[in-house]
Amino acid sequence: MKRSRRSSLTLAKALKSEVRSPRLADAGRKKIAWAAREMPVLRMIAQRFERDKPLSGIRIAACLHVTAETANLVSVLKSGGAEVVLCASNPLSTQDDVAAAIAHDLKIPTFAIRGEDRKTYYRHLKLVLSTKPQVTMDDGADLVSLLHGAKKHLAKLIWGSSEETTTGVIRLRALHKQGKLLFPVVAVNDSKTKHLFDNRYGTGQSTIDGILRATNVLIAGKTFVISGYGYCGKGVAMRARGMGAQVVVCEVDAVRALEARMDGYEVMPMKSAARVGDIFVTVTGDINALDVEHFKLMKDGAIVANAGHFDVEINLAGLKKLSSEVRGIRPNVEEYRLKSGKKLHVLSEGRLVNLAAAEGHPSMVMDMSFANQALAAVFIAKNHATLKPQVYSVEAELDEEVARMKLKSLGISIDELSPRQRKYLSSWQQGT
Ligand code: ADE
């Protein structure tokens, strides 16, 4: 056991990073420091990790969006004693300067180049798995997916994995439901201190940010159609309304549709929304939320973007077939000229617009998401001998601890239950 750990550590160190250019490291370093200012919870965890080294000698392979916030997470994991290797979880989300700084300053082998092709993307994933990690960290479940496919022989070495995003958790639950999940996974996305903040306020703000950076269109007065009213959709709807848009929500879930209506939005099927929308955003986690039948109905000049994890939510192959020409007209904007003469504008090739055209969620919310990731890694390290191959949530006490640390960092104190109130809540006798 000891020998295999040592030889794999050497392997991780021997891996040579693949980033756009080491010369970008200086700019990346500044970005990472700027993000760190808004990540006090991660800072508190780092202090604890430096002291206790709860991840000592543990190999972690992380497949995350390579951003300034991720840099702060992998730095914390390293200060906890982990041997970390990192690759991108999306070909278009990498911040090249940050990748260079992670590789150069933090000395963490990093495999991430913005715009890398599919072949390179998967080669990078396989490279991080070649270090024979005990723990993997995913945003979208691509490492776990490989560990159940082409790299299945490595699955027996895995103590556990953690998953950042809704889409990834959906894939993992499907795997578990089929009885095929080979090791335990922690659904970080399910923590309240993750999805209530990252998905809602993070996706809400960064999606609008991506659309604005790509197009610079005025949101006020536009009809803004959102497909999917989970926490991400709720966030986007809230911010679009705040900027003066007329918001329309499309849903397949009756309860969520009702919620959207009572939150004050118009609710209708996409076939109706397609005729009236100026800007469309998909946040469903499913394929073809915008399909050929919808493109045919859209107005000339409509803008189409996706903020879900995978680039499957907009049927781009179908749109291409309808089109006579596709051309880039601004960074992150492609114009599809349909054979009918109508033009539709697709942002960031249908990949997550908040990370591809902007910088992803602000550090303030990633602080809590990544605190959950760091604590999930410790949970796996401590408990792997007794964990089963199933999908675990982060323990409620850890979730609460993250919230308390965040409140503390904000200088906010809250009330406490009195002994009498606590007793009342645990009793059933007293009525009116
Ligand atoms: N996912 C969404 N925003 C992100 C960010 N800023 N860093 C890493 N992952 C993210």
Side-chain angles (χ1 to χ4, degrees), residues 16-268:
K16 198 168 167 319
S17 291
E18 292 184 21
V19 298
R20 169 81 54 205
S21 163
R23 281 199 298 276
L24 297 170
D26 188 42
R29 187 178 313 131
K30 289 175 184 145
K31 256 195 198 169
I32 295 168
W34 177 255
R37 292 169 55 258
E38 295 251 69
M39 304 186 87
V41 177
L42 218 45
R43 216 161 37 240
M44 289 179 216
I45 292 176
Q47 283 163 4
R48 211 191 291 171
F49 274 22
E50 304 245 344
R51 193 185 59 221
D52 302 340
K53 300 286 175 201
L55 300 172
S56 184
I58 295 171
R59 293 184 298 280
I60 300 181
C63 176
L64 301 169
H65 299 296
V66 179
T67 64
E69 291 72 31
T70 296
N72 282 288
L73 169 65
V74 290
S75 166
V76 169
L77 298 174
K78 199 175 169 192
S79 60
E83 280 277 326
V84 189
V85 285
L86 174 66
C87 66
S89 63
N90 189 292
L92 265 194
S93 61
T94 298
Q95 297 169 8
D96 285 322
D97 46 4
V98 169
I102 298 173
H104 186 266
D105 296 4
L106 300 177
K107 310 267 180 275
I108 290 175
T110 301
F111 305 90
I113 302 169
R114 185 186 155 95
E116 61 194 16
D117 60 19
R118 195 183 148 78
K119 206 169 136 212
T120 311
Y121 177 79
Y122 277 102
R123 188 170 60 74
H124 284 167
L125 262 72
K126 288 176 184 163
L127 269 172
V128 300
L129 288 181
S130 73
T131 61
K132 301 193 172 132
Q134 290 123 333
V135 176
T136 64
M137 211 170 255
D138 259 321
D139 188 329
D142 278 346
L143 287 182
V144 170
S145 177
L146 270 182
L147 287 164
H148 286 74
K151 293 287 164 189
K152 200 169 180 174
H153 61 285
L154 296 173
K156 58 181 176 300
L157 304 174
I158 304 287
W159 291 352
S161 179
S162 59
E163 172 53 50
E164 170 77 5
T165 200
T166 318
T167 302
V169 173
I170 291 171
R171 293 175 91 186
L172 294 170
R173 290 206 199 286
L175 200 57
H176 182 238
K177 203 167 164 199
Q178 289 176 12
K180 292 186 181 155
L181 186 62
L182 294 172
F183 44 78
V185 289
V186 180
V188 164
N189 184 70
D190 291 359
S191 303
K192 289 186 196 161
T193 49
K194 198 279 181 181
H195 66 261
L196 290 180
F197 301 91
D198 168 317
N199 299 26
R200 187 165 41 175
Y201 302 109
T203 310
Q205 179 167 316
S206 63
T207 299
I208 301 289
D209 186 11
I211 293 168
L212 292 181
R213 289 198 206 192
T215 65
N216 197 28
V217 294
L218 186 74
I219 304 268
K222 295 276 193 312
T223 299
F224 199 113
V225 179
I226 297 161
S227 182
Y229 201 63
Y231 279 104
C232 294
K234 287 183 177 66
V236 180
M238 184 167 66
R239 294 302 175 234
R241 174 159 66 188
M243 296 194 76
Q246 190 72 36
V247 176
V248 174
V249 171
C250 304
E251 247 303 342
V252 291
D253 179 302
V255 176
R256 284 184 176 173
L258 204 52
E259 192 184 4
R261 177 67 189 173
M262 298 214 180
D263 284 346
Y265 305 115
E266 278 197 72
V267 176
M268 60 181 81

Side-chain angles (χ1 to χ4, degrees), residues 223-428:
T223 299
F224 199 113
V225 179
I226 297 161
S227 182
Y229 201 63
Y231 279 104
C232 294
K234 287 183 177 66
V236 180
M238 184 167 66
R239 294 302 175 234
R241 174 159 66 188
M243 296 194 76
Q246 190 72 36
V247 176
V248 174
V249 171
C250 304
E251 247 303 342
V252 291
D253 179 302
V255 176
R256 284 184 176 173
L258 204 52
E259 192 184 4
R261 177 67 189 173
M262 298 214 180
D263 284 346
Y265 305 115
E266 278 197 72
V267 176
M268 60 181 81
M270 185 55 86
K271 266 194 172 164
S272 308
R275 295 176 194 277
V276 295
D278 299 302
I279 302 172
F280 294 81
V281 174
T282 53
V283 259
T284 65
D286 206 347
I287 58 167
N288 299 351
L290 285 176
D291 213 340
V292 170
E293 56 180 340
H294 307 128
F295 303 134
K296 286 182 180 163
L297 298 170
M298 283 180 188
K299 295 195 284 191
D300 183 34
I303 291 170
V304 172
N306 166 51
H309 183 80
F310 288 114
D311 60 343
V312 296
E313 303 204 15
I314 302 169
N315 181 358
L316 279 186
L319 180 56
K320 216 167 248 168
K321 273 197 198 140
L322 288 184
S323 307
S324 53
E325 191 192 352
V326 182
R327 60 182 188 128
I329 51 170
R330 287 167 61 93
N332 288 304
V333 185
E334 279 186 315
E335 178 190 85
Y336 284 70
R337 183 188 286 269
L338 274 60
K339 289 168 193 155
S340 62
K342 181 169 78 180
K343 291 175 194 160
L344 299 181
H345 299 114
V346 177
L347 307 191
S348 302
E349 302 167 25
R351 296 198 184 273
L352 4 77
V353 69
N354 56 335
L355 279 139
E359 293 174 68
H361 303 349
S363 322
M364 184 77 175
V365 285
M366 293 314 294
D367 187 29
M368 289 188 281
S369 310
F370 283 168
N372 278 286
Q373 283 286 10
L375 297 178
V378 176
F379 171 79
I380 293 168
K382 271 196 190 150
N383 300 295
H384 67 94
T386 54
L387 296 179
K388 299 190 171 53
Q390 64 188 53
V391 181
Y392 290 86
S393 296
V394 175
E395 288 173 327
E397 301 82 64
L398 293 185
D399 207 356
E400 165 107 12
E401 189 190 350
V402 172
R404 289 196 178 275
M405 286 195 276
K406 194 68 170 179
L407 283 171
K408 186 170 174 214
S409 75
L410 293 166
I412 297 172
S413 53
I414 58 172
D415 291 325
E416 266 181 51
L417 291 175
S418 68
R420 175 119 201 276
Q421 286 175 313
R422 205 177 289 279
K423 187 164 173 232
Y424 177 82
L425 287 178
S426 61
S427 68
W428 53 271

